[in-house]
Every structure is written in C-alpha cells, then in structure tokens.
Amino acid sequence: MQIAQNSVVAFHYTLTNDAGEVLDSSEGREPLTYLHGAGNIIPGLEKELEGRAAGDKLNVKVAPAEGYGEVQEQLMQEVPRDAFQGVESIEPGMQFQAQTQGGPLMVTVKQVEGDTVVVDGNHPLAGQHLNFDVEIATVREASQEEVEHGHVHGEGGVEH
C-alpha cells in the first residue's frame, strides 16, 4: 500500500541539522506513527512521504518554510526579570509557557542581563534546514474513527 491521504504510517527516522548533528531519532524506540494528511508532522516531510511504501528508505531535506518556519523577529522580546515570579534562577535555554493575546506560547530564554530577560517564542528549529533519514516500517488504511479524530489510535497513537 502506498502512502496517501488517511493512511496510517509508521516510520523510523534520524533528524540532523546541516552541521550533521543528530537532533532527534527513533533509534532504539518504536517508529513514529502518524495519520497522513492530518497535519500531524511537518509539511515538507509529509509531502516527501506521499506515494511511498513500507520498506522504502529515503533522505529528505526540508527547508524552513516547510518545517518549523522562518525565524520571526517579533517573537523575540525583552521582558522584565520580575515577570518570572517564583523562579529563583533564570538561565539561557530554560523554557517557560507565556500567556499572550493569541493564547499560550512556549518561549526559550536566550539571554539574561541584569533585570532584563530576552525570550524567544520561535520553535527551537525555526530557520533551520532539517535533514531526515527515513525508513518506512508500515502503511495501513486509517479507521473511520482515526480519520474523524485526526490522529492515530491504538499502538503508536492515542488511547481513548
């Protein structure tokens, strides 16, 4: 069976950046399982998996626009240190959930200077090319319930 709209796909992957550093991998774990066409994985990777079948191996390079987007400068802000009440020590790399007009947003601390903290609301992989080594493990037709819910149920998916 080929991967198409409403296929349930399980695949192993290794994700690297352009410097060759491994950012994530399914090695030693179960394959990643998703519902094709439901927006469960980044668009550039989903597009490249279309038409593939179990057993296929491929290398995919995803540009930022088809991955986690370009870096948006407006998502980087300076906030006062006292906005972090109850947090004794703030260090670069720490992540917090901020409440914004658009709803909750994960931010990463980039810099701390005195009473000012620079936070970044961009995804940590925004602006980066993503390189995937992929091996497709299984492909099956989704159940009606999976299609209606927009995600995989059972093994490798959501239990409810």
Side-chain angles (χ1 to χ4, degrees):
M1 177 177 183
Q2 290 186 317
I3 298 173
Q5 182 73 30
N6 297 329
S7 297
V8 172
V9 181
F11 68 95
H12 284 286
Y13 68 94
T14 298
L15 169 61
T16 59
N17 60 18
D18 280 343
E21 299 168 310
V22 174
L23 303 175
D24 194 13
S25 176
S26 65
E27 187 175 333
R29 301 187 317 222
E30 292 296 314
L32 177 66
T33 304
Y34 78 100
L35 177 62
H36 193 80
N40 297 157
I41 63 173
I42 60 172
L45 180 57
E46 188 170 58
K47 207 182 296 182
E48 291 293 326
L49 294 179
E50 182 91 22
R52 304 294 184 149
D56 285 357
K57 295 179 182 181
L58 61 151
N59 296 315
V60 177
K61 184 176 187 104
V62 177
E66 292 285 308
Y68 292 100
E70 298 293 346
V71 172
Q72 298 177 47
E73 294 301 323
Q74 69 271 25
L75 292 178
M76 295 186 73
Q77 294 186 348
E78 291 184 357
V79 294
R81 168 71 175 84
D82 60 14
F84 297 86
Q85 291 182 3
V87 180
E88 287 185 32
S89 176
I90 300 175
E91 302 291 330
M94 293 176 81
Q95 292 188 312
F96 296 91
Q97 183 171 306
Q99 296 304 320
T100 70
Q101 290 177 342
L105 176 69
M106 286 301 296
V107 297
T108 303
V109 174
K110 290 296 185 183
Q111 191 175 358
V112 180
E113 287 185 12
D115 289 336
T116 302
V117 179
V118 178
V119 296
D120 184 355
N122 287 287
H123 187 282
L125 298 178
Q128 293 189 43
H129 285 95
L130 305 173
N131 305 291
F132 290 90
D133 285 333
V134 175
E135 181 175 357
I136 299 167
T138 62
V139 180
R140 67 169 173 81
E141 192 173 320
S143 70
Q144 187 60 40
E145 186 179 42
E146 288 171 322
V147 172
E148 288 170 6
H149 289 192
H151 57 251
V152 177
H153 291 172
E155 190 172 330
V158 177
E159 300 285 348
H160 64 98

